[in-house]
């Protein structure tokens, strides 16, 4: 579909296991809320690259366990200006791939943001831990500070 649909919502219903369905995909979200639904203790949803406007929301699981979004497998630079939220349990964001992910929007999700590879450009306050085990963490905008707890391993 092409065009704008006011107050659109896209529900991603996932029932158990790990899902690599979007590992090769570029998701471009605008004026949409994408939220997963699980019937298990939680899932990992792989997204090749994530772009989104400030009107977009990537939410955690609406049922049962938490969601982990693994972003960056396409090794392409991407910018998400939308909101990352928890669902019924904490949401985790894991940055993979050699290129960059720039998170510019609000970050009220309470799970960790794990940086495994590439660069996570972060702007604003993070409710959860920023965990750097590989790659790097950098301010997304040199005029603002990244606020949150940072752990480097």
């Amino acid at each position: 579909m092409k065009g704008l649909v006011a107050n659109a919502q896209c529900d991603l219903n996932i029932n158990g296991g790990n899902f690599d369905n979007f590992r090769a995909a570029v998701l471009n979200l605008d004026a949409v809320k994408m939220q997963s639904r699980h019937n298990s203790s939680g899932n990992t949803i792989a997204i090749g690259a994530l772009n989104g406007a400030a009107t977009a929301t990537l939410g955690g699981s609406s049922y049962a366990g938490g969601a982990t979004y693994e972003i960056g497998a396409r090794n392409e630079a991407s910018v998400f200006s939308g909101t990352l939220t928890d669902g019924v349990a904490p949401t985790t964001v894991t940055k993979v791939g050699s290129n960059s992910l720039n998170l510019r929007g609000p970050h009220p999700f309470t799970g960790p943001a794990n940086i495994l590879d590439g660069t996570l450009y972060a702007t604003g306050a993070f409710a959860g831990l920023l965990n750097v085990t590989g790659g790097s963490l950098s301010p997304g905008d040199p005029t603002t500070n990244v606020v949150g707890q940072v752990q480097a391993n």
Side-chain angles (χ1 to χ4, degrees):
M1 176 174 18
K2 188 172 182 175
L4 296 177
V5 178
N7 301 314
Q9 178 168 334
C10 172
D11 289 323
L12 176 62
N13 295 308
I14 297 173
N15 296 312
N18 289 328
F19 291 84
D20 296 331
N21 303 29
F22 305 114
R23 184 174 301 281
V26 176
L27 295 184
N28 296 300
L29 305 178
D30 187 356
V32 68
K33 178 179 182 180
M34 185 169 144
Q35 185 168 14
S36 58
R37 175 182 164 87
H38 309 292
N39 288 330
S40 64
S41 62
N43 296 108
T44 298
I45 300 105
I47 300 171
L50 176 66
N51 296 294
T55 56
T57 300
L58 185 61
S61 174
S62 62
Y63 181 81
T68 297
Y69 290 102
E70 182 183 282
I71 304 168
R74 285 183 58 99
N75 298 314
E76 294 180 13
S78 60
V79 177
F80 185 73
S81 298
T83 303
L84 292 161
T85 65
D86 284 335
V88 297
T91 295
T92 299
V93 173
T94 301
K95 164 65 183 92
V96 298
S98 61
N99 217 309
S100 63
L101 171 61
N102 190 330
L103 297 179
R104 294 185 178 170
H107 318 295
F109 69 99
T110 59
N114 299 311
I115 300 115
L116 304 182
D117 197 7
T119 301
L120 177 66
Y121 290 102
T123 302
F126 282 78
L129 174 70
L130 292 160
N131 186 24
V132 183
T133 58
S136 62
L137 172 65
S138 182
D141 177 349
T143 65
T144 63
N145 292 324
V146 176
V147 179
Q149 182 180 0
V150 178
Q151 176 178 316
N153 295 317

